[in-house]
Amino acid sequence: MVVRFLARFATRRFVAPTRSPSLPRRRMGQPALFLHLLLLLLFALCWGQRSNPGGKRPRCGRCDPRLACNCSHAGLTRVPSVAAGARTLDLSFNDISEVAADDLTGHARLEALSLHGNKLAVIHPSAFDSLWSLEELDLSDNQLAVLHRRWFSRLGVLRELNLLHNPYSCLGSRPVFQRLVGLRRLRIGGPALEELKRRDLTGITQLEELTVHANNLTRYEAGTLGDVWPLGRVTLSLHGPFLTNVSLASAVLRDVSYPETQLILDDLHLIGNRSVLPLRETARKRVRKMSFHNLSVSDEAITDFLVALDGIPLTSVFMDGIMLTGEGRWEGARLTDYKSIDEFFLRNVVVLNVFHFTSFLELAFLLKYPRKVSVINSQVFVMPCLTSRLLVNLQYLDLSDNLLTDMTLVETLCDGDGTLKGLRALNLSGNALKSLSTMSRQVAKLSKLTHLDISRNGYSSMPQGCSWPSTLRYLNISRAKLTTITSCLPATLEVLDLSYNDLKGFLLILPALRELHLSGNKLLRLPLGWLFPNLQTLTIQSNTLNMFDRSDLESYSRLQDLQAGQNKFVCSCDFVHFLQSVVKEAGGVHLTDREESYVCDSPFSLQGEPVGRVQLSVVVCQRVLFVSVSCGVALLVGLLVCVLLWRLHAFWYLRMTWAWLRAKRGSQRRRRRDGPESEALLSYDAFVSYSERDASWVENLLVPELEQPRDNDEGSVNHRPLTLCLHKRDFLPGRWIVDNIMSAMERSRRTLFILSENFVQSDWCRYELDFSHFQLFSGSAGGDAAILVLLEPLSKDDIPRRFCKLRKLMSSNTYLEWPQEEERSEEFWRRLRLALRGEEDDRERRTS
Ligand SMILES: *[C@@H]1O[C@H](CO)[C@@H](O)[C@H](O)[C@H]1NC(C)=O
Ligand SMILES: *[C@@H]1O[C@H](CO)[C@@H](O)[C@H](O)[C@H]1NC(C)=O
Ligand SMILES: *[C@@H]1O[C@H](CO)[C@@H](O)[C@H](O)[C@H]1NC(C)=O
Ligand SMILES: *[C@@H]1O[C@H](CO)[C@@H](O)[C@H](O)[C@H]1NC(C)=O
Ligand SMILES: *[C@@H]1O[C@H](CO)[C@@H](O)[C@H](O)[C@H]1NC(C)=O
């Protein structure tokens, strides 16, 4: 059979208090000072060449935000350069063979340095000088053959030092730890350690933890370890001395054994009665707690051990990784007294002669006292009922990770007859049990049982009814194969663990339940909260929950802690908002798992995104609000635009354009119909465009003046009266006014605009103006079809900008001004008549 040994864990904590380093100072005489300055100068001069000695130093940038730099397993052959303010530096498992003088300079804030598992053979004496804040130093598993006291001379705040497994045979000729007054954890030794001398630990006064690997120790000066006190915990590997040099082993044990000190002995091989002799020293010092790791022991040694420790107030024996080479015949120690023994803890026990191994029947002397017995992972397939009957004081029994079956369990618990009546906690985790009804029947009479751990067994179904002790509070059936739950679960439970089963639902009232663990099942939603009026903690990770909401949580009246990560969350708006508010502890429920474990599973675009970081837009989440707000905004903008357009007279322009287009089309139609001889249509000399407000001037002055024949005219052309077209008089009733205007203008040779303030105000006048423009350029009449008469002085700048046409006309055409003085009016009329007639005369002259 193979011996199984426990791996030893070296737990290294990186503590980080800040402490101001204190610089050791030396007083110098004048000449010395001068010399120093000179040296400094030389040094400064040489610095240029020396700044990068021995090629490039590698860099390691693997530092986290708290400046913990992890450069382990990086294949480094030299100490790399790292961030200047680094707090911890892990260089373990590299190939570094040397720490040079300036490799670690500038790391005054470094608190923990690990060089574990390298090939360190050389460390410069002053390599650690600048590490004023260093509290933990790990140099284990290297090639250091000599320890240098100079290394540690500046490490005044060092608390933890590990020098294990280096090939040094002694700690040095002079005390190396002298300056380490703050040291609390020290690990020394290795396969090569041969000698420990009296002054080796000078400087160390008290330790929380001391580990000495001295399997090959051959010389030990008594008292070497004896000066350290108080001593919290001592771990000794003294394989060789126990076998070959009993007096040496005894001397070591004598120095470290104290009633309050926990003693851990590693790697012992106890065969004959001689090898047990050193333990008499511990017995003499009345040690209370003893542990053995990696122990192989014979029947004789056990008997001797029991005899040796007879009567001392030993309270607990802890054995991890033991090989029993005998047959369990320990009755030689039956007269011993172990009244004070409280706990036996055995783990990873291997029995070499398992078929010859006798029961523990003769061990009544040993078994009737302990309250706690653990036999873990030791291939126990049965504990005979007779043995159980011996454990009369037993309150806690842990048989986890063994080979118990339903049948052997019946034997172990004496068919449920109430043996082990004081039992309060039973741990049968990790066995081969299959029947819950057998289980419940076997423990039903254990009238004090409160804790039952039957996790990691083969339970696949639950009977309808079970008979549990009424005291049962804690039940762990996790990591089984249960698919449903029934009222088999007792209502007295306060803690129930059903995680990692195949449950699809949970419908059972458990009024006393405080903690419910349902992780790793197939639940689609949270169980109904009113089933558990007292529930405070619920873990339901790794199920198939899609979502849960406030009302789900509110149905739990007392829930405080919830773990629901690693589910298949559908990240709807409601859920995302709800969860983000719960994360902020708005709901009174505290999410105790990490926020990052809440990850969206759908919609696809959000898959893999932590819910806490999802940002859903308003468009997605507040659709109704969004639509109504955007409609409102659109309406408002529309309104604003309308107002703006109105202010900018856009409607006017629009109407204008429309009228213009219609007019143009109409005129084209007319022209096609009438043919090119449109001249025949000209039935007026002028169309008069004027504002209604200026009507009096037009009717009383203009019309009589121009339409009545004049006899006193000097020119021959002036004999004929002019025909004018006035909208009031000549427009055809019933037609669209624009058409009327259009045709009136077309049928007139010229258009006469009576400009005044009023004209500018009038819409119609402006139309007319525009039509005239249209005619000016597209019509038959020539350049001066429009004649402007200014009724009152009107400068171009008085005309609003948008009447660009009028402004243009005013600047291009000369205009006639109605004179304010009476006597000049004759002149005005003459010129007007001339203007109105001008072209006609030309034409007459041409035709004649
Ligand atoms: C130390 O002892 C072991 C046996 O426990 C032996 O194999 C080994 O050679 C020894 N080492 C030294 C350096 O003496
Ligand atoms: C256990 O102890 C034996 C000596 O008894 C030693 O050779 C072996 O390496 C140890 N095993 C472990 C895992 O420490
Ligand atoms: C150890 O055992 C031997 C026999 O194996 C016996 O002669 C001797 O007296 C024993 N010594 C002690 C101290 O028990
Ligand atoms: C039972 O043993 C298992 C495995 O050793 C352990 O994880 C569990 O915590 C124990 N249960 C109790 C209630 O101590
Ligand atoms: C239940 O047992 C499992 C496996 O032994 C263990 O990991 C878990 O912590 C236990 N649950 C509780 C609530 O102690």
Side-chain angles (χ1 to χ4, degrees), residues 191-194 215-216 239-240:
L193 186 69
E194 288 173 358
N215 285 327
N216 284 349
H239 179 77

Side-chain angles (χ1 to χ4, degrees), residues 194-196 217-226 248 251-252 255:
E194 288 173 358
E195 183 180 20
L196 284 175
L217 196 70
T218 51
R219 289 185 299 279
Y220 179 81
E221 271 185 60
T224 304
L225 300 176
L248 187 150
V252 177
D255 281 350

Side-chain angles (χ1 to χ4, degrees), residues 108-127:
R109 299 176 65 190
L110 199 65
E111 286 160 7
L113 171 65
S114 172
L115 283 158
H116 170 83
N118 279 281
K119 292 176 179 158
L120 273 189
V122 181
I123 297 177
H124 191 275
S126 59

Side-chain angles (χ1 to χ4, degrees), residues 5-6 8 239 267-269 294:
F5 298 114
L6 233 219
R8 264 162 295 152
H239 179 77
D267 306 337
L268 293 189
H269 183 48
N294 186 18

Side-chain angles (χ1 to χ4, degrees), residues 371-375 383 388 391 394-400 404 412-413 420 423-429 449 451 453:
R371 287 183 303 121
K372 289 182 82 175
V373 170
S374 305
V375 184
M383 180 167 81
S388 301
L391 293 161
L394 201 66
Q395 293 182 2
Y396 177 97
L397 177 61
D398 188 343
L399 292 173
S400 51
L404 297 176
T412 299
L413 294 176
L420 300 177
L423 202 64
R424 289 160 204 264
L426 177 60
N427 193 344
L428 297 171
S429 172
L449 192 71
H451 278 61
D453 188 341

